[in-house]
Amino acid sequence: MTDLLIKPAKLKGNIHITPSKSMAHRAVIAACLAVGESVIDNIELSDDIIATIDGMTAFGAKIQIEDAAGRKRLLIQGVKADAKHSDRVIDANESGSTLRFLIPIATLFAGETRFVGRGKLGSRPLDPFEEIFNAQGLKFEASATEQLDLTVEGPLRAGRYEMAGNISSQFITGLLYTLPLLAGESVIQITTELESIGYIELTLDVLKYFGIGITFNKAERQFIIPGQQVYQARNYTVEGDYSQAAFFLSAGALGNDVTVTGLQADSKQGDRGITTILEQLNAVVTTTDREVFARAASEGLSSGELTVIDGAQVPDIIPISALVACLSQGRTEIVNLSRLRIKESDRLEATKKELRKLGAKIEVVGDTLQIEGVPSLTGEAIVWSHKDHRMAMMLAIASTVVEQDIIIKDAEYVSKSYPTFWQEFESLGGQVSEWHLGE
Ligand SMILES: O=C(O)C1=C[C@@H](OP(=O)(O)O)[C@@H](O)[C@H](O)C1
Ligand SMILES: C=C(OP(=O)(O)O)C(=O)O
């Protein structure tokens, strides 16, 4: 385990943001399902993306990693879903996206697929899939152990699927990748509010790029999926990650002189919503076609009498948004946060717990964070990532506004999505050194 001592220091400089994990997952999977060669350019080999690469390789895709002009790209020979019988084991590590995208895809390939994983992945929900597999009499055998150990076997049938849209959008994405390859037409009817909808739209966008057409009736919350479709091999460049940029844009709003490059101004990523959230807290966000940066308005960050922030569509940027709200004068309520409890940690409790250690006035009330802004943060020295990459990165940014040294326990968990985060943080002036808490 790696614990890091961080001395108070302001960040200054430009950061070329890491490629989008969500878009990389989608492009790699689509390319692997397309017979022929695709090139996926601008890839970050995070733990989660490696899990997806390994998973698709287990189905028979050939993936070569290349260094090209300081970036990584993948040369992919896709594979036709075939009846050639072979069992396989896929280590999803801690990646919920990998697991939930690949479970339905596994049913396209004859034989059993055993998924294993670690950390909280074994306790994150899979019920929507279990119900579908059971209803179709298909194998869906999960071990009773805490660690993920699940064996599935197809084939899924084309037809009507009903699914909740407020547990995880990833279940829907997994079906959207799989059903177009079946013989007949399918319909997915969402039976609740549809949350994390930006990720669904990302899925539809990437599928369309790779030749798969799906009709999404947003008002009816229904997807119409023609069968017998064929993925087309394509070259694709992954754009910069707004979920990761959120940490550095928020740092800018908190008084750090940081500018982010590599983001698409017209990105379809849902976490571009960080710019709206920061503006709600009285920051000024500047977006050009080359860079994005945020600064507090001259009168300082403020949520006024009360600012309400809706987290239903942007769960990943809530921990960092909560940090900014804790330093914004006035009251902030961040609502619709139930899904934060089923990520790599219970992010609702973890965010409250760690920010309160640093002197923030923050409460969890139901599925809401209630925050009273304070002028500055100071408090306990030891904070914990809860072994969650987004908590570790939020606490790193918190260190730039805390008036004392802090130690972040289990700081290495950033590798799940951003293995170069600490090098980037230091390159911007972060004062980081290893610390041994001895636990
Ligand atoms: O589809 C995706 O790429 C993701 C969907 C989101 O999950 P939920 O849909 O479960 O909110 C998000 O938390 C996750 O980091 C990535
Ligand atoms: C929850 C996340 O990813 P996943 O669901 O893919 O594990 C995340 O990146 O914050």
Side-chain angles (χ1 to χ4, degrees), residues 21-23 25-26 97 100-101 124 167-171 173 195-196 199-200 202-203 243 271 312 315-316 339 342-344 347 389-390:
K21 167 166 78 79
S22 292
M23 299 180 93
H25 278 305
R26 285 161 172 78
S97 297
R100 288 139 169 194
F101 296 174
R124 294 175 67 182
I167 303 173
S168 174
S169 69
Q170 295 165 347
F171 300 112
T173 289
E195 299 187 344
S196 279
Y199 290 104
I200 298 290
L202 222 48
T203 297
S243 311
D271 284 354
D316 292 355
R339 287 190 346 284
I342 52 173
K343 302 292 182 186
E344 293 86 329
R347 284 181 182 158
H389 56 133
R390 299 201 190 278

Side-chain angles (χ1 to χ4, degrees), residues 205-217:
D205 212 41
V206 172
L207 285 173
K208 185 177 176 188
Y209 186 87
F210 282 87
I212 299 294
I214 291 171
T215 303
F216 177 30
N217 296 326

Side-chain angles (χ1 to χ4, degrees), residues 102-116:
L102 268 55
I103 286 175
I105 288 170
T107 67
L108 296 168
F109 295 84
E112 292 184 350
T113 303
R114 182 181 173 211
F115 290 95
V116 295

Side-chain angles (χ1 to χ4, degrees), residues 157-172:
R157 289 193 294 276
R160 180 176 173 81
Y161 288 78
E162 295 193 348
M163 177 175 271
N166 58 1
I167 303 173
S168 174
S169 69
Q170 295 165 347
F171 300 112
I172 302 164

Side-chain angles (χ1 to χ4, degrees), residues 45-99:
L45 292 176
S46 62
D47 299 349
D48 284 11
I49 295 304
I50 290 170
T52 289
I53 289 171
D54 292 348
M56 294 312 292
T57 303
F59 292 126
K62 302 281 182 265
I63 303 176
Q64 188 185 328
I65 299 170
E66 260 197 0
D67 275 311
R71 310 193 321 192
K72 293 234 182 317
R73 67 181 187 182
L74 305 177
L75 307 182
I76 295 178
Q77 282 293 344
V79 61
K80 188 172 177 341
D82 59 22
K84 189 165 77 268
H85 191 289
S86 69
D87 297 341
R88 60 197 71 82
V89 179
I90 291 176
D91 183 351
N93 200 332
E94 278 206 76
S95 174
S97 297
T98 304
L99 180 63

